[in-house]
Amino acid sequence: MRCSLGVGTAIALLAAQIGAGPASAQAATEAPRFDKHGTNNAITDVPGILVGQVTRNDPPFLTGVTAVYAPDGAVGGAIVPGGWPGSINVEVLQPGKNDQESHVMFLTGGSYFGLGSFSGIMRWLEEHGVGMNVGTDPLHVDPLVSGAVVFDLLRGGDFKARPDADFGYQAMENAKSGPVEQGNVGAGTGTRSGGKSLPLKGGIGTASVELDNGIIVGAITAVNAVGTPVDFSDCSLRAVDLAIGDEFGAYKSPSREECDAALEKAKIDAETGKPHANTTIGVLATNAKLDKEQVKQLAEAVSRGHGRAIDPIHLISDGDSYFTLATGEVTADDAQIQQIYAAAENAFARAIVHATLKATSVGEFVSYCDTFPSACGAQ
C-alpha cells in the first residue's frame, strides 16, 4: 500500500526501465488475441454485475469508493501478492474455506481508514435483505463483503478527508448496470502511478472480453502504482497492443520530443521527488461457472495482466490485491476455462490502459495525455 524508494533505488529503476527496450516491456510469450468486447467494454457487461461509485473531489477531498455488486451472489476469490496490503475478508475466499457466496467487492481510497466504508456497504445490504440468511427473519442476513484500499491520504488537503461508512452506503445506492465512468472517479479519484520516476495521474479503468461461447469476462481497477504503465523506450503505454478494435481511440505513440522531455524530467523527479504510496487493486468478474480453486486461478491471471500493463509490480511495499467473482450462469469445459484465464489477463491489462488514458490532471498530478499530448486523440 505504501512505498518509499530511496533516491539511488529510484534512479536505478528508471535507468533499468529506460534501457530495457521494447522487448522486455512485454511478456516473454505472446498472449492470446481477442477480437470482441462487451457492449459497454466494462465489468458490467457480465450479466448480474453492477457497479456503484462515490467521488469526492471538493476541497479538501480527493478520494472515493467503487463497489462491484453481484445481487444474486457469486463464487468469490482473491489473492494479495503485494507486500503491504489493506484488505478485508480475503481469507474466507480461499479454497478450503466456507463456500458462502460473495455479494460485494469494493475498492476504496483512504488507506486503512477507507475500510470504514465496509460498514456502510454492510448496512445497505442488511436493509435490502441481501446475504446469507442466518435467522428466521428475511432481514437476518450476514453478507460476505470483501475489499481493498489504495493510499491517497493528504492528496486533497485534509488528512481526515477520506471515505467512511457513508461513502460505502452511497456507493451501493449508486450501483447500476450499463456504462461505467472511468478516470478520476470512485477509488481512482486521488490515485497516481509512476512513483518518483515519471509520476502520472492514475484512475479507475474497466474493460471486458466476450468469448464465442457466450462467456463474458470483465475487469475494473484502481491504478495507484509505484510502477509505470509507460514503456520508457518510446513512452507508449505497455498494454496498448492488446486493444480490441479502436477502443483506445486515436491513441498513438507520443513524439520523440515529448518522450525525451518527459524522461529528462523523470530523472530530476527521481532525485528530488516525494516518496509515493502505491497499490493497484481490482475486481474481475465472469458469468462462467467456476469453483473456489478456479476463481483463485482467475485472480492469478489478473496478476499476469497487471504485469503486462505496469512494471514493476508486487513490491514489498505494494498493496496489490485482486478479487474475482463467478456468477455461474454458463457452464465451461476445461478448454473454455483456459480461455477465461487468458481473457482475464487481457481485460485487466486493458482496464489499466483505460484508467491511464481517462485520467485527467489534478494539481501536481499530471495525466498521461497532458504529458504526451501527441499520443492522445479523442478517448
Side-chain angles (χ1 to χ4, degrees):
M1 187 175 58
R2 298 167 170 78
C3 184
S4 299
L5 291 180
V7 171
T9 304
I11 295 173
L13 172 60
L14 177 60
Q17 289 172 316
I18 292 174
S24 64
Q26 303 299 338
T29 57
E30 189 68 22
R33 305 297 301 183
F34 298 95
D35 58 12
K36 187 176 183 181
H37 58 63
T39 302
N40 301 296
N41 198 13
I43 192 172
T44 51
D45 290 326
V46 178
I49 296 295
L50 313 179
V51 170
Q53 302 195 88
V54 172
T55 302
R56 287 290 302 273
N57 52 20
D58 51 310
F61 285 91
L62 192 64
T63 192
V65 172
T66 299
V68 179
Y69 177 34
D72 296 326
V75 177
I79 63 169
V80 183
W84 201 345
S87 59
I88 191 168
N89 283 343
V90 170
E91 294 84 355
V92 72
L93 300 177
Q94 303 309 307
K97 302 297 183 180
N98 190 283
D99 61 359
Q100 180 181 353
E101 289 189 325
S102 294
H103 283 92
V104 177
M105 292 175 170
F106 69 95
L107 316 174
T108 180
S111 190
Y112 296 135
F113 294 106
L115 291 174
S117 57
F118 169 84
S119 62
I121 294 170
M122 291 290 287
R123 177 161 55 90
W124 190 95
L125 292 170
E126 179 182 27
E127 290 177 2
H128 291 78
V130 177
M132 182 177 67
N133 189 275
V134 293
T136 58
D137 189 298
L139 295 181
H140 290 168
V141 293
D142 190 14
L144 177 52
V145 174
S146 304
V149 310
V150 295
F151 185 100
D152 59 8
L153 297 174
L154 294 174
R155 294 187 186 162
D158 191 331
F159 181 77
K160 294 188 177 181
R162 59 206 184 209
D164 57 15
D166 290 340
F167 278 68
Y169 190 94
Q170 191 59 49
M172 295 305 299
E173 286 281 277
N174 295 343
K176 61 182 180 180
S177 59
V180 176
E181 190 176 0
Q182 301 179 81
N184 302 15
V185 294
T189 303
T191 59
R192 56 177 287 191
S193 68
K196 291 165 61 177
S197 58
L198 194 56
L200 298 171
K201 180 70 182 72
I204 285 286
T206 188
S208 67
V209 174
E210 188 171 332
L211 302 175
D212 291 338
N213 48 27
I215 293 173
I216 301 175
V217 176
I220 191 166
T221 179
V223 177
N224 194 49
V226 72
T228 179
V230 177
D231 180 345
F232 285 157
S233 69
D234 63 359
C235 295
S236 64
L237 291 175
R238 292 178 181 275
V240 73
D241 62 308
L242 299 178
I244 295 179
D246 62 352
E247 67 176 312
F248 301 133
Y251 176 84
K252 61 182 180 181
S253 295
S255 70
R256 190 69 251 175
E257 293 76 15
E258 288 177 357
C259 184
D260 289 344
L263 294 181
E264 182 61 31
K265 182 178 183 299
K267 292 178 182 179
I268 298 172
D269 288 340
E271 290 276 8
T272 64
K274 299 176 182 178
H276 164 44
N278 60 283
T279 284
T280 296
I281 55 179
V283 181
L284 191 291
T286 180
N287 60 342
K289 184 177 182 179
L290 303 176
D291 61 28
K292 292 194 75 166
E293 180 60 41
Q294 290 166 333
V295 291
K296 182 178 181 181
Q297 291 300 314
L298 193 61
E300 298 283 358
V302 169
S303 177
R304 294 191 293 274
H306 183 189
R308 288 274 296 175
I310 291 177
D311 183 51
I313 61 174
H314 306 346
L315 303 181
I316 191 63
S317 51
D318 276 324
D320 298 340
S321 306
Y322 320 115
F323 299 88
T324 49
L325 292 164
T327 64
E329 180 185 54
V330 181
T331 300
D333 60 26
D334 289 344
Q336 291 167 338
I337 290 171
Q338 294 307 309
Q339 279 190 307
I340 292 167
Y341 293 157
E345 179 177 339
N346 174 282
F348 197 80
R350 288 166 42 237
I352 289 172
V353 176
H354 282 296
T356 305
L357 291 176
K358 295 292 185 182
T360 55
S361 300
V362 178
E364 65 181 284
F365 308 126
V366 183
S367 71
Y368 179 87
C369 287
D370 283 344
T371 302
F372 306 106
S374 66
C376 298
Q379 297 301 330

